[in-house]
Amino acid sequence: MKQRVIKKKSEKIAAYVFILPAVVLLFAFLILPALSTVRYAFTDYNIMRPDQISFNGLENFIDLFSDKDFFKATWNTIYFTLIVVPFQTALALGLALLISSRRKGVSIFRAAYFSPQVTSMVVIAILWTVLYNPNPDTGLLNAFLVKLGFSANGFLNDPKTAMNSIIFMSAWQGAGYQMMIFLAGLQGIPTEQYEAASIDGAGKLKQFLYVTLPGLKNIIKYVIMITMIQAMKLFTQPYVMTKGGPQDSTRTLVYYIYEQGFQSRNFGYACAIAAVFFVIVVAMSLSMKRLIDNE
């Protein structure tokens, strides 16, 4: 009996020792910065003068809700999220269906579709900036359009198309990860269900609607949630490709936080934006979860 008690205690101690590094890192790099963000949101803090921090109450938040640039960045972020999430999810599901067969050479396509996910986003953003070049002599996409008889498109240089261009590139880059998740889900659907549906006279479309989609219901919920959260954090693409332009059409909330905190050095105001941004992300996540659960 004593040996069992001693063994249980030693197992608990070992468990605490193993999780301690993760807890320390979590506190140091997530919890503590989050608490500091809330604290600095109520201060006048210039990062070039860290010894002159002063409490200013709700002044940052009052300025925030009268800031047109903040509302523009918020709309750009929400627009990107609302478009890219269904587009990327549908693209990933379509790719998963294409490569779910056991035909020869499928593994090559799996690697090809997944390869953008393991490539640096900075590299991909630079590559697509070249592809989107408005000059047909150097921009591959515009050269293709001109060959087909169309006029060259502004893409990233046009406020009407800049965000949509980033959306297309982002969906292409991120679909590979969701594709692998959908592929695992497809392999978990029993083949007997498809055989029974086929015997009942169901075609490919009905099998997809009444067998595949119900079988992937929980997977679809998970993919939508993680894609939405990642989309809300959009930063690298506008930073590398457009610097938030043209005419602030691609400036997102995270990019605006970076501008205020590290370019304008108005760190207190940037922390206020970050605090509001956190509330927006949580609200959208809960709303999306409730919407999906009611389906």
Side-chain angles (χ1 to χ4, degrees):
M1 187 69 180
K2 289 184 178 180
Q3 290 181 346
R4 287 184 180 180
V5 173
I6 295 173
K7 185 178 180 181
K8 286 184 178 180
K9 286 184 177 180
S10 62
E11 288 177 351
K12 286 183 178 180
I13 293 172
Y16 289 137
V17 170
F18 278 115
I19 67 173
L20 182 61
V23 172
V24 171
L25 291 173
L26 183 67
F27 179 80
F29 294 103
L30 185 63
I31 298 175
L32 185 60
L35 295 175
S36 298
T37 298
V38 176
R39 172 195 168 196
Y40 291 132
F42 297 95
T43 63
D44 183 10
Y45 180 16
N46 188 318
I47 59 175
M48 299 302 293
R49 297 192 296 272
D51 57 333
Q52 299 180 11
I53 303 176
S54 60
F55 178 77
N56 64 358
L58 298 174
E59 185 177 333
N60 287 330
F61 294 95
I62 294 172
D63 294 340
L64 179 65
F65 288 106
S66 60
D67 185 355
K68 294 181 180 179
D69 291 335
F70 167 74
F71 287 104
K72 177 67 174 177
T74 302
W75 164 245
N76 289 338
T77 303
I78 294 174
Y79 174 80
F80 176 85
T81 302
L82 292 177
I83 301 300
V84 81
V85 169
F87 179 41
Q88 185 171 322
T89 303
L91 179 61
L93 179 57
L95 292 175
L97 291 172
L98 284 175
I99 65 173
S100 60
S101 62
R102 300 181 180 274
R103 298 176 184 176
K104 293 182 179 180
V106 168
S107 58
I108 298 175
F109 289 101
R110 290 180 185 177
Y113 295 146
F114 188 73
S115 59
Q117 184 64 37
V118 297
T119 306
S120 169
M121 176 56 80
V122 175
V123 174
I124 290 177
I126 294 172
L127 171 64
W128 277 85
T129 301
V130 176
L131 292 176
Y132 282 141
N133 193 304
N135 189 343
D137 295 330
T138 55
L140 182 61
L141 292 179
N142 270 319
F144 182 70
L145 289 175
V146 171
K147 280 286 186 182
L148 295 177
F150 298 99
S151 58
N153 193 297
F155 290 118
L156 299 175
N157 290 351
D158 187 345
K160 296 180 180 179
T161 59
M163 182 58 83
N164 292 331
S165 300
I166 291 178
I167 287 173
F168 182 82
M169 183 273 287
S170 301
W172 170 84
Q173 187 274 338
Y177 176 69
Q178 286 86 353
M179 176 196 72
M180 300 303 292
I181 297 175
F182 279 129
L183 188 62
L186 287 171
Q187 293 174 348
I189 300 176
T191 56
E192 291 81 2
Q193 295 184 12
Y194 290 102
E195 293 173 356
S198 179
I199 293 172
D200 290 339
K204 294 293 183 182
L205 179 59
K206 288 188 175 181
Q207 289 181 25
F208 173 75
L209 294 175
Y210 299 109
V211 178
T212 304
L213 286 182
L216 294 176
K217 184 177 179 180
N218 292 328
I219 301 293
I220 293 173
K221 290 180 181 180
Y222 172 74
V223 168
I224 289 175
M225 289 299 298
I226 63 171
T227 306
M228 188 200 72
I229 294 172
Q230 289 297 323
M232 291 291 292
K233 298 188 295 182
L234 177 68
F235 171 77
T236 305
Q237 297 92 308
Y239 177 75
V240 175
M241 302 174 76
T242 62
K243 298 299 181 185
Q247 299 177 20
D248 298 331
S249 60
T250 59
R251 175 190 279 164
T252 61
L253 277 172
V254 178
Y255 188 79
Y256 192 46
I257 293 170
Y258 162 78
E259 283 185 325
Q260 290 295 321
F262 297 100
Q263 291 184 346
S264 301
R265 301 190 181 106
N266 192 356
F267 201 75
Y269 189 61
C271 288
I273 300 172
V276 174
F277 173 65
F278 173 76
V279 174
I280 293 173
V281 172
V282 171
M284 288 193 65
S285 299
L286 293 176
S287 299
M288 182 67 73
K289 184 178 184 302
R290 180 172 296 182
L291 180 65
I292 294 174
D293 289 341
N294 291 335
E295 290 295 328

